[in-house]
Amino acid sequence: MTISPSGRWLPALTLTIMVTAAAASAAAGNPPVSRAAPSAATLLRPARVWTAGEPVHEGWVVLIRGSRIVTVGAAGTARAEAGARVIELPGATLLPGLMDAHSHLFLHPYDETRWDDQVLKEPVPYRTLRAARQARATLLAGFTTLRDLGTEGADFADVSLKRAIEDGLVEGPRLFVVTRAIVASGSYGPAPRSLRPDVCCTPQGAEEASGVPEVIRAVREQAGRGADWIKVYADYRWGPGGSQQPTFTEEELKALVETAHSSGRPVAAHATTAEGMRRAILAGVDTIEHGFGGTPEVFRLMAARGIAYLPTLTAQEAYGEYFEHYVAGASAPTAGMQQAAEAFRTALRAGVVIGCGSDVGVFAHGTNYRELEWMVRDGMTALQALTAATATDAQILRRGEDLGRVRAGMLADLVAVSGDPTRDIEAVEHVMFVMKDGVVYRSP
């Protein structure tokens, strides 16, 4: 947004945006929610409380003061303080706020607008406004933390969206951002082969680099622009006939990782081929995204080096729906879905650390829960999937000390769902309460 030197028209502009966003959200079926500031204390009374590594606790309550959890325990051990707000959550299970560690708030489903058209035709301000609306839908669906892995042609707008959420201008999950992501020259999209040779200066979905010096420069630029993580594409569809092939050399990847780690930033690697994964693993990346072509040997190498895996199973379902006529509940899984499921099971058997990362944006924001359901269908227990989307993602994001569990001293990011998701994972679809940093965004 442009602000005049006097700044006098900013309140009117802000009001207009807020009213427009609220109207659009209501039209989309999202419930109108008032952002309730934390009182002196809040006592939550769900039917049960679950947190990773512990049994389900029937009849427990949670006391919050400010932005932190103060007490968790049986009703007799955590009584409401004088003047505390009491929120009854009958029949509900209280969980840590859910997390999605592979998201794209600046994309929307490809059956609405193809990826190339989003990058080439949708102006960045328009995409940013849409991203803010999508962030709110995500928060109300119970996902209080996202790692957004690339603006896909929207430049560094994720840094501004993160700031707007932190400043309370818009509602959304806490964000960890990567800005533009880094790709090998000529390997990403919109693909040069799809354009006339004399066409220049078209927007790219990520920042191109070639050779060690350019890779180092790209990392430093993105870090300087506000990236929390660095993302690199270790392979992509740039081979003959659009086949998936490795992009960067091991030398380039090692330089990228060393530079990122020197700045205190972890590295996420898009990698779908065994060779792309192998190069990224040997270079020392912190997470592998997708990994559909991973072999038992590659996943064992990941496990040995403590590299986490974000499987993005729902993205493969969405591709099947858009491009291969897959119909949920009526069609056999596509070849891509089967490959993703087998990679997931292989990673499980190898003992790889697996977090919840869905690639949402490929499919509709606010339906991130689909990833947990696919993780259970493809081999995890409900408890494993819930742990992946809470405590494991918190560890991946280097925030395990204050996020991802319902425990005294942790930040009060909490979600209540109808029913018991430890027995039926589909209960995560039915969110009735959302709190982030002690602020209530959704309540019965």
Side-chain angles (χ1 to χ4, degrees), residues 328-348:
S331 305
T334 65
M337 292 167 66
Q338 293 178 50
Q339 183 188 36
E342 181 54 33
F344 182 71
R345 289 189 286 265
T346 302
L348 268 176

Side-chain angles (χ1 to χ4, degrees), residues 7 33 96 102 119 182 224 227 231 248 278 320 357 364 380 421 435:
V33 176
H102 189 129
V119 175
I182 299 171
K231 181 184 179 183
F248 290 109
R278 187 191 70 83
M380 275 188 170
M435 171 183 279

Side-chain angles (χ1 to χ4, degrees), residues 27-389:
N30 292 326
V33 176
S34 298
R35 182 175 184 269
S39 63
T42 300
L43 186 71
L44 305 180
R45 294 185 180 274
R48 63 196 67 85
V49 174
W50 176 85
T51 191
E54 298 182 19
V56 174
H57 298 289
E58 299 285 344
W60 274 26
V61 297
V62 177
L63 180 67
I64 298 104
R65 188 183 303 116
S67 63
R68 297 273 174 177
I69 298 171
V70 177
T71 309
V72 182
T77 64
R79 298 183 184 280
E81 300 177 0
R85 171 179 47 171
V86 178
I87 298 178
E88 301 288 347
L89 299 167
T93 303
L94 190 73
L95 313 166
L98 299 172
M99 304 184 188
D100 190 336
H102 189 129
S103 65
H104 293 282
L105 284 171
F106 289 81
L107 291 177
H108 57 104
Y110 301 165
D111 60 342
E112 297 174 359
T113 307
R114 295 295 176 93
W115 184 89
D116 274 18
D117 287 340
Q118 293 185 45
V119 175
L120 292 171
K121 298 179 181 179
E122 294 181 352
V124 172
Y126 174 85
R127 294 182 68 187
T128 304
L129 289 169
R130 181 192 284 275
R133 176 183 175 184
Q134 293 173 163
R136 182 176 186 273
T138 302
L139 178 64
L140 297 185
F143 284 78
T144 58
T145 298
L146 293 186
R147 184 180 59 158
D148 194 272
L149 284 184
T151 61
E152 305 289 342
D155 300 327
F156 304 98
D158 53 352
V159 177
S160 295
L161 178 59
K162 175 185 174 181
R163 179 181 174 185
I165 291 171
E166 290 175 346
D167 290 348
L169 298 179
V170 297
E171 296 176 347
R174 67 180 75 246
L175 294 184
F176 296 81
V177 300
V178 307
T179 71
R180 299 179 65 194
I182 299 171
V183 295
S185 298
S187 66
Y188 201 52
R193 63 179 174 272
S194 65
L195 304 171
R196 284 173 38 172
D198 59 340
V199 172
C200 74
C201 310
T202 57
Q204 279 290 299
E207 182 171 0
E208 293 188 318
S210 185
V212 168
E214 286 190 14
V215 164
I216 292 173
R217 179 204 54 77
V219 171
R220 289 173 176 164
E221 179 186 13
Q222 294 188 13
R225 295 280 189 171
D228 301 307
W229 281 64
I230 300 299
K231 181 184 179 183
V232 61
Y233 282 75
D235 53 30
Y236 205 67
R237 298 187 297 269
W238 75 307
S243 62
Q244 299 272 3
Q245 299 293 339
T247 51
F248 290 109
T249 65
E250 287 186 42
E251 181 187 19
E252 290 170 316
L253 288 171
K254 287 177 180 177
L256 182 147
V257 171
E258 181 180 349
T259 306
H261 285 178
S262 294
S263 76
R265 290 168 175 83
V267 177
H270 166 114
T272 62
T273 66
E275 177 59 17
M277 293 172 70
R278 187 191 70 83
R279 293 184 191 182
I281 293 163
L282 294 178
V285 303
D286 299 278
T287 66
I288 295 287
E289 316 299 315
H290 312 301
F292 303 139
T295 62
E297 294 75 20
V298 166
F299 281 120
R300 284 196 293 269
L301 184 61
M302 279 182 68
R305 298 196 174 210
I307 296 170
Y309 176 42
L310 287 308
T312 66
L313 302 170
T314 313
Q316 288 299 92
E317 179 192 34
Y319 292 138
E321 291 172 344
Y322 305 155
F323 308 121
E324 300 177 71
H325 310 294
Y326 170 78
V327 178
S331 305
T334 65
M337 292 167 66
Q338 293 178 50
Q339 183 188 36
E342 181 54 33
F344 182 71
R345 289 189 286 265
T346 302
L348 268 176
R349 289 192 294 267
V352 175
V353 174
I354 302 178
C356 176
S358 69
D359 213 0
V360 66
V362 174
F363 60 98
H365 295 277
T367 65
N368 312 58
Y369 55 78
R370 292 165 60 183
E371 186 70 12
L372 283 84
E373 295 173 357
W374 272 112
M375 294 169 91
V376 172
R377 291 187 197 112
D378 287 342
M380 275 188 170
T381 66
L383 287 173
Q384 287 176 313
L386 290 168
T387 300

